[in-house]
């Protein structure tokens, strides 16, 4: 069976003062691989920028030449491609610019944001080309969102905000996870080179 897997890219970027492995997006990927109902049919790629100067060359060399043809192939096969961004104060401007470029290159792609900088969802939804924002702790909200096939089922996902019929919908918040042992390690999916 050579059915195409749904392509998902998760983006993160270091701050100028601190370099680290992409633990936030790695945590999302490992959690989805463990709990996601559609994990076997999904291919999550982690894209981590060390400095902002890496974004433009990546967009030209990787996104336009390699990723975008995969996105179009997925759409043609009836599979919904996704990009997600881990947004902090130090990368918000660069990521909003990249999101606009990705949306211009492919209007049909789903775009989701999470992280500390996007908790005021009104600053992003309806303003920028974003489909959904994770409010608060993101791992299980992301798993449920990625497992849903259609906007209509997004209303049932705690901790999610999105736009429907030109209005912002903010679902009930998700209770914080108190038993941290339920989270698989991000290091299971991050190549440490």
């Amino acid at each position: 069976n050579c059915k195409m897997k749904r392509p998902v890219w998760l983006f993160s970027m270091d701050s100028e003062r601190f370099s680290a492995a992409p633990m936030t997006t790695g945590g999302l990927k490992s959690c989805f691989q463990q709990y996601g109902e559609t994990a076997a049919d999904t291919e999550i790629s982690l894209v981590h920028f060390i400095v902002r100067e890496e974004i433009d060359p990546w967009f030209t060399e990787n996104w336009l030449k390699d990723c975008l043809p995969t996105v179009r192939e997925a759409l043609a096969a009836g599979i919904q491609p996704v990009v997600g961004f881990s947004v902090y104060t130090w990368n918000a401007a660069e990521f909003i610019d990249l999101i606009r470029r990705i949306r211009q290159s492919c209007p049909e792609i789903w775009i989701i944001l999470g992280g500390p900088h996007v908790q005021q969802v009104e600053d992003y939804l309806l303003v920028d080309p974003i489909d959904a924002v994770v409010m608060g702790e993101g791992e299980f909200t992301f798993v449920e969102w990625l497992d849903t096939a259609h906007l209509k089922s997004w209303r049932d996902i705690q901790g999610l905000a999105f736009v429907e019929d030109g209005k912002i919908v903010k679902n009930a918040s998700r209770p914080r996870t108190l038993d941290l042992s339920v989270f698989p390690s991000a290091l299971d999916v991050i190549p440490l080179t």
Side-chain angles (χ1 to χ4, degrees), residues 1-43:
N1 185 0
C2 54
K3 179 179 178 265
M4 181 179 190
K5 292 188 176 195
R6 171 182 41 177
V8 176
W9 291 268
L10 297 180
F11 294 83
S12 56
M13 186 171 88
D14 284 339
S15 73
E16 290 177 0
R17 285 179 282 195
F18 184 70
S19 289
M23 298 299 285
T24 53
T25 52
L28 292 170
K29 179 177 179 175
S30 64
C31 201
F32 184 74
Q33 286 183 339
Q34 181 162 330
Y35 298 107
E37 294 171 12
T38 57
D41 300 320
T42 302
E43 183 68 44

Side-chain angles (χ1 to χ4, degrees), residues 44-141:
I44 297 179
S45 302
L46 302 180
V47 181
H48 184 66
F49 301 113
I50 306 295
V51 291
R52 61 178 45 91
E53 289 77 15
E54 293 177 337
I55 296 176
D56 282 347
W58 181 88
F59 182 80
T60 304
E61 289 301 312
N62 297 77
W63 181 259
L64 293 179
K65 291 181 182 171
D66 299 329
C67 305
L68 193 53
T70 302
V71 166
R72 293 201 171 117
E73 185 184 345
L75 288 165
I79 297 168
Q80 179 62 57
V82 170
V83 291
F85 290 81
S86 179
V87 185
Y88 289 80
T89 304
W90 64 78
N91 66 25
E94 288 80 9
F95 277 176
I96 294 298
D97 179 58
L98 180 57
I99 286 163
R100 289 183 177 133
R101 292 160 74 189
I102 287 173
R103 177 70 84 197
Q104 280 180 325
S105 72
C106 182
E108 305 89 349
I109 200 163
W110 279 356
I111 299 173
I112 187 166
L113 307 187
H117 195 81
V118 294
Q119 297 307 301
Q120 298 297 323
V121 299
E122 297 80 5
D123 293 347
Y124 295 91
L125 296 173
L126 296 176
V127 178
D128 294 305
I130 293 158
D131 296 296
V133 172
V134 173
M135 302 176 294
E137 188 177 277
E139 287 81 358
F140 290 110
T141 299

